Amino acid sequence: MASELARSIVLPEVNESSPAPRRGSGRRLWGDVWPKVAAIALILTAWQAVVWSGWQPDYVLPGPAAVFGRLAGDLGHLDFYVGVAITLRRALVGYTIAVAIGSVVGILVARVTLLRKAVGSAILGLQSMPSIAWFPLAILLFQLSERAITFVVILGAAPAIAAGLLGGVDHVQPLLVRVGRVMGATGLRLYRYVVLPAALPSFVGGLKQGWAFAWRSLMAGELLVIVNHQQSLGQRLQFARDLSDAEQLLALMIVIFVIGVVIDSLFSALDRSIRQRWGLLGGEI
Amino acid sequence: MASELARSIVLPEVNESSPAPRRGSGRRLWGDVWPKVAAIALILTAWQAVVWSGWQPDYVLPGPAAVFGRLAGDLGHLDFYVGVAITLRRALVGYTIAVAIGSVVGILVARVTLLRKAVGSAILGLQSMPSIAWFPLAILLFQLSERAITFVVILGAAPAIAAGLLGGVDHVQPLLVRVGRVMGATGLRLYRYVVLPAALPSFVGGLKQGWAFAWRSLMAGELLVIVNHQQSLGQRLQFARDLSDAEQLLALMIVIFVIGVVIDSLFSALDRSIRQRWGLLGGEI
Amino acid sequence: GSAAAGSPSDDGPMALRLGYFPNLTHAPALAGLDKGFFAGALGSGVTLETHTFNAGGDAVTAILSNSIDAAFVGPNPTVNAYTQSHGKAVRVIAGATSGGALLVVKPSIKSVADLKGKKIADPQLGATQDVALRWFLKSHGFKADTAGGGDVGVLPQENSQTLTAFKQGQIDGAWVPEPWASRLIIEGGAKILLDERDVWPQGRFVTTNLIVRTDFLQGHPKRIKALLEGLYQAVTYLNSNPTEAQALTNDTVAQITGKKLASGVVSAAWSHLAFTIDPLAPTLKASADHAHSVGLLPSADLKGLYELGLLNQVLVAHQQPVVSGL
Amino acid sequence: MSKVLELSEKHALSVEKLTMAFPHDGQLLLALEGTTLEVKRGELVCVVGASGSGKSTLLNVLAGLDLPSSGRAHVHGRVALMFQEAALLPWLTAAGNVELALELRGVKAAHRRELAHELLRRVHLEGFEKRRPHELSGGMKQRVALARALAQDADVLLMDEPFAALDAITRDLLHEELERIWNESRLTILFVTHNAREAVRLGDRVLVFTSRPGRVAQEVKVELPRPRSLDSPELAVIAGRITDRLKHEMNSRGE
Amino acid sequence: MSKVLELSEKHALSVEKLTMAFPHDGQLLLALEGTTLEVKRGELVCVVGASGSGKSTLLNVLAGLDLPSSGRAHVHGRVALMFQEAALLPWLTAAGNVELALELRGVKAAHRRELAHELLRRVHLEGFEKRRPHELSGGMKQRVALARALAQDADVLLMDEPFAALDAITRDLLHEELERIWNESRLTILFVTHNAREAVRLGDRVLVFTSRPGRVAQEVKVELPRPRSLDSPELAVIAGRITDRLKHEMNSRGE
Ligand SMILES: Nc1ncnc2c1ncn2[C@@H]1O[C@H](COP(=O)(O)OP(=O)(O)OP(=O)(O)O)[C@@H](O)[C@H]1O
Ligand SMILES: Nc1ncnc2c1ncn2[C@@H]1O[C@H](COP(=O)(O)OP(=O)(O)OP(=O)(O)O)[C@@H](O)[C@H]1O
Ligand SMILES: [Mg+2]
Ligand SMILES: [Mg+2]
């Protein structure tokens, strides 16, 4: 070690470790909740401050009070819930099918070299195709039916899901795959028992992105078929825009945002349980 | 081992390994290219077959010849290239800023527990907000300028990029983090030298999804600011749709698709180089 | 009516930001810009900045948020801009286009009575044509609910989609503006069941008018008057040179949208349109009332919407009859 | 085919002029060069060699995981490989890892749990069935990997430094256990270790590898009666000879 | 503070009634219970213990990576830890891994390359500087990890079975190298191993751990003159005593 590595002179430090404090579950919950509450309060305050500053007239940028008033008004109508329910149902149906298709395509492309070479790079091409480009095809194939909407949602979400899975499979540790092969797992069994579980974290990431794509495609797709007066969220959003109704638009944005947050918490729970299993939790970075 | 594990009687198998054949680089290239060519040929044939079947009149579903004729016509005009260049410039500018913002937000949310609790779940909420919802805000903040478009693009892409980074950081092997900590890396240095490199694969995945979001947001956002004589792709797409011009729409879809494939090949190269470094290549799954 | 005295800022160099759609129904705007009528009338002190829009909602958002000063828009966005801003933000200062909305149907539908049980498309729930269609159906004793049911199914959807759906036989007819009506006729083989002009007195109803921000109007009356002078010339030009005007309009639209309409479509559409600087205020009011009575929109008080003093000054200068608001 | 079958009566494993080159930086690194060896059915053969002499590479080729650059490697029957790293699947518990091997071997679901627990008991891990790999110590992981390899119930067992992370006592116990299992079945074992005494303790023969590129430098037949004791002087003598040879190899070729 | 400074003159490392419990399945598994030990500045102390007896847990706590359930662990000065797994960063080359440790220690860029190569030479890995971890053999990885730990140039070096994957000869060479480095600096080393002879070969003292929960069962002062030879009979005698004690521990507590 000699001279090159001569230790720099440091005053002795004391690294002292003492037991970690334990907290009650009530306090833990509060610890999870208050930052969110604070963030919301902060945003509302800022928003209100901008409104009060008179930067824009209130019909262009309405204040929180007006928007939440409007939202409360919306929430007071059964119609509104029916509309949200319609949208959510469409989202779930489209998303479920997209998950199925995306997974199968993802596995096939990952597994079959020929297929990967043939269509692997088409995935991002498909993903970057805006929903409206599919509208004419959707109508051609499914006429003016809900299925046209579902079609657009699937085309939006499935590539992201396939991409997530493909990325996960590509980054599986080769050692684990070798373990599987040595244990006699080949072909689909190798996938089922080793590759897919190992790719799960990335797949969940893809599912999350897929949801966002599905949802955004749906918001556009709901304008394809306006079947009835039970206004879906996408329609409402478009009408708010057509009517330049800033209050309504903001109220709807809040609804969409909240739905996104709720869905996120589902994915987060899934992700946490995976990380728990894999022993990726607790190591505070 | 005795009775429970008594080996099933199998005829002796012969696992024979012999040297892997080597191929010339010309043949390798061809091996990469022909599946794509075959896929394209297949799709064109199917398309042409559908058109010939007379399922739909040609003004609803034009054939490949008509569409490629139209595309060739478009490609013959300087205008077209100018438009594509404008769109690409906007995409790059918006995307670059989104990468910067998304990365910073991703790191902050990953690193600062308080921030994660406060806004972590807002990311999917933001991601699922359709671009059109941002239009009024974009106009408010930036008037009818290019910056309004950029704003919409950033809001589309940044959450996906942040989510990719966040997911990557969450799934870094704790052992590697511990190695970094033992070597004296704390705080930002731990991130710079250990966490971020380890999260790179997932980050690249996020970048890819972010690009798709950016691009789709751009296609919508380009309708915000329409500059005469300089038709961006988003505008062309909208006008093709407004005019029910199926030929033009399909030609544009091809252009968008090709751009997506080209961008994908950039990301794929990046991803391959990462996998190469990490030793994730070669282990045929 | 406070447009008499110009404020000092009304003389210096300035910019006027004008919005319009690349559309046949915006021909006065297109001609005014392309033939230089606006620029000529405004003089060299005013830079004319133009913005093209695709949707009325965006144009209104832009005008409400002070991103543009004036815009050619349809009656629907006009009412929205006025009511959303509690009657403050905008004023209608002139008309531009009248007519150009038709009910076209499959040839098998011979009379209004045949509409029973059919599916008719229109551009958008609560839009002018939607209101007109529902009003028309109601006055002919048909029931049409907003759920697409009733004696006649009303299906609001985008115009481009309507064309495809009609060609495929998914709908039986549509109440749409030009050039869609003519495209449905020429490309889709539809025939005219009703020209909306027939249901209005004197066959005129507002399709496009010119709105301006109230502040801008009060701050720059001279400029607005000049703009109106330009518009007057543009409308006169359109009416006196129809053939040339058709070609010009088609060309300008093509410059923006990248594709010319079939010339047959333009001339057919042209015959259903009329260009007039009269904003036809009563028809806008009537349409809003109809919307209220078919249960689509809350009743709106549009009393202060029109501000036609400057327009009338221009008309008087050209020895034309003056027009009136509400 | 008949020739192969005939061969297989005698040899469980045969390697002929095996060469393995890894490309790096434009050059080729020879991990194995012209390696030739044979293992008879039911034999327990140990391989010792310097670090980096290609032992793991040889096992990987034999397990069919890598293709050699040239030469041939035959294995007759089903192969199990215990990797140098424990290589447990992180999303499965200790028992789950073993059960997966059983499942892939075709053991009915009803038996798997019981069998897995029995195997874990044999490697002295009762009570740790439900733990996940990250909750196990280094030696425990390696023992789970051993249980998993045994669960495969293969004809040929390739073991890559299986007891490197174990203390002397546990290692002793597992030596006995492995010997017992090997005695009871007609299992063929190729056992890589860097511990000459362990090699002599277990092997019918010990193959000493040259330093990189790896080749069999010496073959030592161990004719001591079983069970042998790690501490017996006869064993120490043979082990000493092997160590000397290894030292000679490393000095002559440079490491 | 002055008391601590005073202490630090004598002790580089002190552990007092350390207890570490891991929750599992509603129960607590005690990995360490009431462990107490002290290591003087410049001392080289070896720890032997059964698999799963909490050795790695102890080192992790000492390195400040984990918080104990109760008790105290002091380390005076900067600590380096060589993990039981090689734990190389997979995206860096062998040299890159070492250079990172140098960089984080504050070594100027100009010197890093040279120093890293020198350190790799010391662990007998010249020529492998540019290889990435997946291109190295198990023993090579462990040697890179050693070089990286040395690169940290810490005051206290914690080593968790650092030579487990090495053949006897390479291990011998590295024993000498480690002894030399330790001699030349005032480095304090806590060396975990499962090899009693290695412990006696290197340690001033050898601490024998009880089986789980780990505690110091016996302290053996090794007073043989240095340099010692692994094969010397005196060493074998002491190692034998340690092994016996270990066996006793494991039998009495059950493992
Ligand atoms: N995937 C690879 N790419 C490049 N080189 C490799 C690869 N795998 C092994 N090598 C090289 O081959 C040589 C032999 O490696 P191998 O792992 O077989 O050694 P070993 O005998 O098992 O050593 P140890 O006892 O240290 O585990 C080493 O020099 C190593 O660097
Ligand atoms: N993160 C953890 N979660 C739960 N249990 C753990 C964890 N880490 C270690 N243990 C348990 O603590 C005990 C001691 O583990 P440790 O790794 O310290 O053993 P060790 O003495 O290093 O053993 P070896 O010689 O096998 O490496 C083991 O029973 C292990 O199962
Ligand atoms: Mg090896
Ligand atoms: Mg350990």
Side-chain angles (χ1 to χ4, degrees):
Chain A
M1 215 89 248
S3 61
E4 329 86 290
L5 287 183
R7 265 172 302 154
S8 51
I9 297 146
V10 285
L11 274 180
E13 288 164 25
V14 181
N15 301 340
E16 181 158 337
S17 313
S18 39
R22 315 226 160 247
R23 287 182 302 165
S25 80
R27 282 183 68 186
R28 198 146 359 110
L29 186 66
W30 174 235
D32 280 355
V33 167
W34 81 257
K36 292 193 210 328
V37 173
I40 293 170
L42 212 71
I43 289 169
L44 290 185
T45 314
W47 176 8
Q48 184 66 64
V50 171
V51 171
W52 274 334
S53 78
W55 173 55
Q56 292 285 346
D58 68 349
Y59 48 85
V60 177
L61 183 69
V67 171
F68 282 100
R70 181 62 166 272
L71 185 58
D74 286 344
L75 293 177
H77 283 84
L78 185 64
D79 262 13
F80 184 79
Y81 297 98
V82 173
V84 171
I86 290 176
T87 299
L88 279 177
R89 180 175 51 67
R90 288 173 176 164
L92 286 180
V93 170
Y95 183 65
T96 310
I97 302 176
V99 170
I101 294 178
S103 309
V104 170
V105 170
I107 292 178
L108 285 179
V109 170
R111 203 166 144 52
V112 186
T113 316
L114 192 63
L115 215 56
R116 176 191 289 249
K117 284 182 182 162
V119 303
S121 45
I123 292 179
L124 192 63
L126 279 183
Q127 246 183 304
S128 52
M129 196 70 72
S131 298
I132 59 159
W134 296 117
F135 283 8
L137 189 60
I139 298 176
L140 264 188
L141 291 172
F142 300 106
Q143 271 81 45
L144 294 172
S145 68
E146 285 248 347
R147 285 187 301 159
I149 301 179
T150 311
F151 176 73
V152 172
V153 171
I154 293 171
L155 278 170
I161 293 165
L165 189 54
L166 189 59
V169 169
D170 280 351
H171 286 272
V172 170
Q173 262 194 56
L175 183 60
L176 299 184
V177 177
R178 293 164 85 94
V179 167
R181 282 173 59 197
V182 157
M183 290 198 293
T186 47
L188 278 186
R189 295 212 303 171
L190 187 61
Y191 265 72
R192 174 162 161 218
Y193 291 114
V194 180
V195 178
L196 294 185
L200 201 57
S202 167
F203 182 52
V204 171
L207 287 180
K208 225 160 140 173
Q209 304 278 354
W211 174 264
F213 275 110
W215 187 261
R216 293 175 74 151
S217 301
L218 180 60
M219 289 296 106
E222 290 201 319
L223 306 180
L224 261 177
V225 186
I226 298 179
V227 192
N228 44 42
H229 194 45
Q230 297 162 331
Q231 278 183 34
S232 60
L233 271 183
Q235 267 166 269
R236 279 179 194 264
L237 197 70
Q238 184 63 38
F239 290 151
R241 194 170 152 237
D242 284 339
L243 298 177
S244 300
D245 186 347
E247 263 175 31
Q248 178 72 70
L249 187 70
L250 284 164
L252 289 171
M253 284 174 80
I254 291 171
V255 172
I256 291 174
F257 185 78
V258 168
I259 291 176
V261 169
V262 170
I263 299 285
D264 180 83
S265 70
L266 300 182
F267 282 115
S268 291
L270 186 60
D271 188 58
R272 275 187 81 83
S273 88
I274 292 173
R275 282 158 65 203
Q276 178 99 50
R277 288 181 146 224
W278 285 59
L280 297 178
L281 277 185
E284 296 289 297
I285 296 179
Chain B
M1 214 90 249
S3 60
E4 327 87 291
L5 287 182
R7 264 171 305 152
S8 53
I9 297 146
V10 286
L11 275 179
E13 289 166 25
V14 180
N15 301 338
E16 181 159 337
S17 313
S18 38
R22 315 227 160 247
R23 288 182 300 165
S25 79
R27 281 183 68 185
R28 195 141 5 107
L29 186 67
W30 175 235
D32 280 355
V33 168
W34 81 257
K36 293 192 212 328
V37 174
I40 293 169
L42 213 70
I43 289 169
L44 290 186
T45 314
W47 177 8
Q48 185 64 65
V50 171
V51 171
W52 274 336
S53 77
W55 173 56
Q56 292 286 345
D58 67 351
Y59 47 80
V60 178
L61 184 68
V67 170
F68 281 100
R70 181 61 166 274
L71 184 59
D74 285 344
L75 293 177
H77 283 84
L78 185 65
D79 262 15
F80 185 79
Y81 297 98
V82 173
V84 171
I86 291 175
T87 299
L88 280 177
R89 179 174 52 67
R90 287 170 176 166
L92 286 181
V93 170
Y95 184 65
T96 309
I97 302 176
V99 169
I101 294 178
S103 309
V104 170
V105 169
I107 293 179
L108 286 179
V109 169
R111 205 169 141 50
V112 186
T113 315
L114 192 64
L115 215 58
R116 175 191 289 249
K117 284 183 181 162
V119 302
S121 45
I123 292 178
L124 192 62
L126 279 183
Q127 246 182 303
S128 51
M129 196 70 71
S131 296
I132 59 157
W134 297 117
F135 281 10
L137 189 61
I139 295 177
L140 259 189
L141 291 172
F142 301 106
Q143 265 83 45
L144 295 168
S145 68
E146 285 250 316
R147 287 186 300 159
I149 301 179
T150 311
F151 176 73
V152 172
V153 171
I154 293 171
L155 279 170
I161 293 165
L165 189 53
L166 190 59
V169 169
D170 281 351
H171 287 271
V172 170
Q173 261 195 55
L175 183 60
L176 299 184
V177 177
R178 293 163 86 94
V179 168
R181 283 172 59 198
V182 158
M183 290 199 292
T186 48
L188 278 185
R189 295 212 303 172
L190 186 61
Y191 265 73
R192 174 163 160 217
Y193 290 115
V194 179
V195 178
L196 294 185
L200 201 56
S202 167
F203 183 52
V204 172
L207 286 180
K208 224 160 140 173
Q209 304 277 355
W211 174 264
F213 274 110
W215 187 261
R216 293 174 74 151
S217 300
L218 181 60
M219 290 296 107
E222 289 200 318
L223 305 180
L224 267 173
V225 182
I226 298 177
V227 183
N228 298 351
H229 308 293
Q230 292 192 329
Q231 273 185 44
S232 59
L233 271 183
Q235 255 168 278
R236 280 180 193 263
L237 196 70
Q238 182 64 36
F239 287 133
R241 199 171 147 243
D242 280 348
L243 299 173
S244 292
D245 185 349
E247 264 175 31
Q248 178 73 72
L249 187 70
L250 283 165
L252 289 171
M253 284 174 78
I254 291 172
V255 172
I256 292 174
F257 185 78
V258 168
I259 292 176
V261 169
V262 169
I263 299 284
D264 181 81
S265 71
L266 299 182
F267 281 115
S268 291
L270 186 60
D271 188 58
R272 275 188 82 83
S273 90
I274 291 173
R275 282 159 64 203
Q276 178 100 51
R277 290 180 145 224
W278 285 58
L280 298 177
L281 277 186
E284 295 289 297
I285 296 181
Chain C
S2 66
S7 63
S9 67
D10 203 13
D11 291 316
M14 60 172 297
L16 194 161
R17 300 166 299 176
L18 178 66
Y20 65 98
F21 292 26
N23 213 320
L24 284 191
T25 53
H26 287 239
L30 298 172
L33 289 168
D34 205 62
K35 299 292 280 183
F37 296 128
F38 293 143
L42 285 165
S44 57
V46 180
T47 331
L48 192 60
E49 239 178 59
T50 57
H51 294 281
T52 327
F53 291 93
N54 246 315
D58 289 345
V60 168
T61 306
I63 207 165
L64 291 183
S65 62
N66 195 6
S67 297
I68 54 173
D69 303 310
F72 289 89
V73 290
N76 222 31
T78 303
V79 173
N80 290 336
Y82 187 74
T83 52
Q84 294 298 342
S85 66
H86 322 297
K88 279 187 245 164
V90 297
R91 295 291 180 266
V92 174
I93 53 168
T97 310
S98 150
L102 294 88
L103 173 57
V104 296
V105 293
K106 282 182 177 168
S108 58
I109 298 173
K110 304 271 192 268
S111 69
V112 173
D114 292 343
L115 286 176
K116 194 169 169 63
K118 297 292 190 291
K119 284 187 260 179
I120 308 296
D122 68 37
Q124 172 191 318
L125 189 68
T128 332
Q129 287 83 19
D130 185 55
V131 172
L133 171 60
R134 288 175 198 279
W135 181 254
F136 171 78
L137 292 174
K138 186 179 172 188
S139 57
H140 281 80
F142 291 115
K143 287 215 181 61
D145 58 27
T146 42
D151 301 329
V152 179
V154 175
L155 300 175
Q157 54 182 280
E158 286 184 43
N159 293 327
S160 55
Q161 192 176 309
T162 296
L163 181 58
T164 315
F166 186 82
K167 283 174 178 172
Q168 290 185 288
Q170 298 182 34
I171 52 174
D172 305 291
W175 190 304
V176 283
E178 290 295 1
W180 296 100
S182 294
R183 286 195 69 183
L184 280 163
I185 295 165
I186 292 166
E187 293 175 29
K191 74 173 190 51
I192 302 174
L193 188 64
L194 178 88
D195 187 330
E196 192 178 337
R197 284 183 294 195
D198 301 343
V199 301
W200 291 98
Q202 295 156 13
R204 301 200 310 170
F205 61 94
V206 62
T207 299
T208 309
N209 54 24
L210 176 60
I211 62 173
V212 63
R213 281 195 300 116
T214 314
D215 316 359
F216 193 88
L217 176 62
Q218 283 162 1
H220 308 283
K222 267 165 71 181
R223 313 301 196 186
I224 291 297
K225 193 173 163 192
L227 182 69
L228 290 171
E229 171 62 32
L231 180 60
Y232 178 85
Q233 291 170 19
V235 169
T236 313
Y237 163 79
L238 290 172
N239 288 329
S240 48
N241 306 290
T243 327
E244 187 192 331
Q246 283 176 37
L248 175 113
T249 308
N250 202 2
D251 284 350
T252 359
V253 170
Q255 267 177 18
I256 299 167
T257 65
K259 198 191 180 203
K260 278 194 179 186
L261 291 167
S263 66
V265 171
V266 178
S267 53
W270 210 264
S271 67
H272 301 133
L273 290 166
F275 303 103
T276 166
I277 204 160
D278 183 348
L280 306 170
T283 64
L284 183 135
K285 171 94 172 66
S287 175
D289 291 345
H290 293 169
H292 177 53
S293 68
V294 293
L296 284 174
L297 292 173
S299 76
D301 178 11
L302 301 175
K303 206 168 260 141
L305 175 59
Y306 289 88
E307 183 72 70
L308 302 175
L310 292 171
L311 175 61
N312 282 333
Q313 288 177 28
V314 172
L315 289 174
V316 167
H318 287 279
Q319 288 132 29
Q320 296 292 322
V322 297
V323 297
S324 60
L326 292 175
Chain D
M1 187 65 196
S2 67
K3 175 136 185 289
V4 167
L5 269 173
E6 205 180 22
L7 252 173
S8 75
E9 288 305 305
K10 263 176 66 190
H11 291 121
L13 192 155
S14 77
V15 175
E16 217 181 299
K17 296 224 185 84
L18 198 69
T19 296
M20 185 70 169
F22 292 106
H24 184 74
D25 247 358
Q27 298 175 338
L28 283 181
L29 178 135
L30 282 173
L32 295 171
E33 193 178 35
T35 310
T36 301
L37 61 90
E38 283 183 337
V39 178
K40 282 202 279 290
R41 275 201 164 221
E43 224 183 349
L44 201 171
V45 174
C46 292
V47 175
V48 296
S51 171
S53 62
K55 304 181 295 295
S56 304
T57 306
L58 174 66
L59 296 201
N60 281 331
V61 171
L62 283 172
L65 292 175
D66 289 322
L67 282 180
S69 311
S70 74
R72 293 167 160 261
H74 296 269
V75 177
H76 302 266
R78 286 173 308 124
V79 199
L81 167 59
M82 194 183 151
F83 291 86
Q84 190 165 7
E85 305 91 339
L88 302 181
L89 303 182
W91 57 90
L92 295 176
T93 59
N97 269 281
V98 179
E99 280 173 38
L100 179 56
L102 293 170
E103 181 168 1
L104 288 170
R105 188 186 113 201
V107 174
K108 295 245 168 60
H111 297 296
R112 285 204 287 263
R113 217 182 119 91
E114 204 182 313
L115 257 171
H117 283 231
E118 162 65 12
L119 282 164
L120 286 174
R121 201 188 51 68
R122 288 194 188 181
V123 295
H124 303 271
L125 278 177
E126 51 275 271
F128 287 87
E129 291 86 0
K130 285 202 208 147
R131 303 241 158 188
R132 295 189 189 279
H134 69 274
E135 297 173 318
L136 298 175
S137 81
M140 289 170 163
K141 279 184 227 170
Q142 222 172 18
R143 283 181 277 160
V144 176
L146 175 61
R148 185 175 63 182
L150 292 177
Q152 281 185 255
D153 193 29
D155 304 305
V156 177
L157 180 55
L158 309 173
M159 304 177 86
D160 200 349
E161 312 199 6
F163 303 138
L166 294 179
D167 60 283
I169 319 300
T170 312
R171 182 189 283 230
D172 245 18
L173 293 173
L174 290 181
H175 283 165
E176 280 162 29
E177 186 69 26
L178 184 68
E179 210 164 33
R180 201 173 62 72
I181 292 169
W182 170 69
N183 258 331
E184 284 172 7
S185 60
R186 279 193 70 206
L187 193 58
T188 309
I189 301 181
L190 190 64
F191 189 104
V192 168
T193 174
H194 50 258
N195 186 327
R197 296 200 307 147
E198 183 174 56
V200 180
R201 160 77 183 78
L202 288 174
D204 292 329
R205 284 186 290 149
V206 178
L207 306 178
V208 182
F209 260 46
T210 58
S211 287
R212 189 168 0 93
R215 218 173 330 105
V216 181
Q218 192 188 15
E219 184 186 317
V220 179
K221 271 219 151 63
V222 185
E223 310 213 298
L224 301 177
R226 293 178 191 266
R228 304 164 187 161
S229 155
L230 257 185
D231 302 316
S232 80
E234 298 96 321
L235 188 146
V237 170
I238 304 179
R241 278 216 315 269
I242 290 174
T243 309
D244 288 344
R245 177 65 202 238
L246 212 54
K247 196 172 267 165
H248 168 75
E249 274 305 320
M250 288 177 67
N251 290 342
S252 68
R253 321 250 337 178
E255 154 67 355
Chain E
M1 188 65 195
S2 68
K3 176 136 184 292
V4 167
L5 270 175
E6 207 182 21
L7 253 174
S8 75
E9 288 306 303
K10 263 177 65 191
H11 290 119
L13 191 155
S14 77
V15 174
E16 218 182 297
K17 296 223 184 84
L18 198 68
T19 297
M20 186 71 169
F22 292 106
H24 185 73
D25 246 358
Q27 298 175 338
L28 283 181
L29 178 135
L30 283 172
L32 294 171
E33 192 178 37
T35 310
T36 301
L37 61 90
E38 283 182 339
V39 178
K40 284 202 277 295
R41 273 200 163 220
E43 223 184 350
L44 200 171
V45 174
C46 291
V47 174
V48 296
S51 172
S53 62
K55 305 181 295 294
S56 303
T57 306
L58 174 68
L59 296 200
N60 280 331
V61 171
L62 283 171
L65 292 176
D66 288 322
L67 283 179
S69 310
S70 74
R72 290 164 163 264
H74 296 268
V75 177
H76 302 265
R78 286 173 310 123
V79 199
L81 167 59
M82 196 184 150
F83 291 86
Q84 191 165 6
E85 304 92 340
L88 302 181
L89 302 182
W91 57 90
L92 295 176
T93 59
N97 269 282
V98 178
E99 280 173 41
L100 179 56
L102 294 171
E103 182 170 0
L104 288 170
R105 187 186 114 201
V107 173
K108 296 248 168 58
H111 297 295
R112 285 204 287 266
R113 216 183 120 90
E114 204 181 312
L115 257 170
H117 282 231
E118 161 66 13
L119 282 163
L120 286 174
R121 202 189 50 69
R122 288 195 188 178
V123 296
H124 303 271
L125 278 177
E126 51 275 271
F128 286 86
E129 293 85 359
K130 286 202 211 148
R131 302 240 158 188
R132 295 188 190 281
H134 69 274
E135 296 173 319
L136 298 175
S137 80
M140 288 169 163
K141 278 184 227 170
Q142 223 172 15
R143 283 181 277 161
V144 176
L146 174 61
R148 185 174 65 179
L150 292 177
Q152 281 186 253
D153 192 29
D155 303 306
V156 177
L157 180 55
L158 309 173
M159 305 177 86
D160 201 351
E161 312 199 7
F163 303 139
L166 295 179
D167 60 282
I169 319 301
T170 311
R171 183 189 282 230
D172 246 17
L173 293 173
L174 290 181
H175 284 164
E176 279 161 31
E177 186 69 26
L178 183 67
E179 209 164 34
R180 201 172 64 71
I181 292 169
W182 170 68
N183 258 330
E184 284 171 8
S185 60
R186 280 192 69 206
L187 192 58
T188 309
I189 301 181
L190 189 64
F191 190 105
V192 169
T193 174
H194 51 257
N195 186 328
R197 295 199 309 147
E198 183 174 56
V200 181
R201 160 75 182 81
L202 288 174
D204 292 328
R205 284 187 290 149
V206 178
L207 305 179
V208 182
F209 260 46
T210 58
S211 287
R212 187 167 3 90
R215 218 170 330 104
V216 180
Q218 192 188 15
E219 185 186 318
V220 179
K221 272 218 151 66
V222 185
E223 308 212 301
L224 302 176
R226 294 179 190 268
R228 304 163 186 163
S229 156
L230 257 185
D231 303 316
S232 81
E234 299 95 322
L235 189 146
V237 171
I238 305 180
R241 278 216 315 267
I242 290 173
T243 309
D244 287 345
R245 178 64 202 238
L246 213 53
K247 194 173 270 165
H248 168 76
E249 274 305 319
M250 287 176 68
N251 291 342
S252 68
R253 323 246 340 176
E255 152 66 356

